[in-house]
Amino acid sequence: MEENIRKVVEAARESLEAAERLGIREPEPLNQLVQKMGRITGMYPIPHLAVEVCCGYYISTIQELREKKHNEDAVSRAGQIAYCSVLPRLSDSETIRDFIACVVHGMAIGAIPSSEGTRLLYGAQVAHSALPSPKRHKKRIKSTKKTPGNQPPTPTPSMT
């Protein structure tokens, strides 16, 4: 299974490199790429793919720049940029979870400084709280039904 994931990630990386050679700079959002790769391989959901993609970009960038004998500070900063450039977009709860996994892993391996990681995690928390929640919606509906001001007045028997 892990070998299959590596093959899928490598194929995705090759596709992105081919797109760059053609002058296409903006890759499609990671969640769409994951969905396509999952459909093609029949392995959706793919565990830890977002983290694998972020780490892959980070490692390949660092290796490439070290081979070219660049300054270690520049190599580190370029690795950070590469890692963060492929973070999942905060579009739904699944990609928010992937984003959090990538940020925490990036902080653990030193790809993301802790101060920047803290800001990114806060952003994920805000994005998550902004998502519509079916539970919150149901609670709101229930609470409005129970309030006396929202109920129609009870008809009283008329005195005739």
Side-chain angles (χ1 to χ4, degrees), residues 14 17 53-54 77 79 138 140 142 154:
E14 289 172 5
E17 289 171 357
V53 170
C54 290
R77 184 66 185 137
K138 287 179 185 176
R140 214 174 320 147
K142 286 180 183 177
T154 317

Side-chain angles (χ1 to χ4, degrees), residues 39-108:
R39 281 193 306 270
I40 292 168
T41 61
M43 297 183 345
Y44 191 77
I46 302 170
H48 312 296
L49 181 62
V51 174
E52 289 285 332
V53 170
C54 290
C55 286
Y57 271 80
Y58 176 72
I59 291 168
S60 65
T61 300
I62 285 179
Q63 287 174 344
E64 181 182 326
L65 294 176
R66 283 185 178 152
E67 288 172 3
K68 294 179 180 178
K69 308 287 188 215
H70 283 276
N71 175 343
E72 196 58 36
D73 289 337
V75 169
S76 176
R77 184 66 185 137
Q80 292 172 3
I81 292 168
Y83 192 96
C84 291
S85 70
V86 292
L87 285 172
R89 295 182 181 180
L90 300 172
S91 57
D92 57 29
S93 59
E94 186 176 319
T95 57
I96 290 172
R97 283 191 296 273
D98 289 342
F99 181 90
I100 291 169
C102 286
V103 169
V104 170
H105 188 80
M107 291 170 70

Side-chain angles (χ1 to χ4, degrees), residues 90-94 96 124-134 136:
L90 300 172
S91 57
D92 57 29
S93 59
E94 186 176 319
I96 290 172
Q125 181 182 12
V126 170
H128 179 69
S129 67
L131 290 176
S133 170
R136 277 188 260 157

Side-chain angles (χ1 to χ4, degrees), residues 13-25:
R13 183 179 296 136
E14 289 172 5
S15 296
L16 289 172
E17 289 171 357
E20 285 179 355
R21 284 192 297 273
L22 293 172
I24 302 169
R25 289 286 173 208

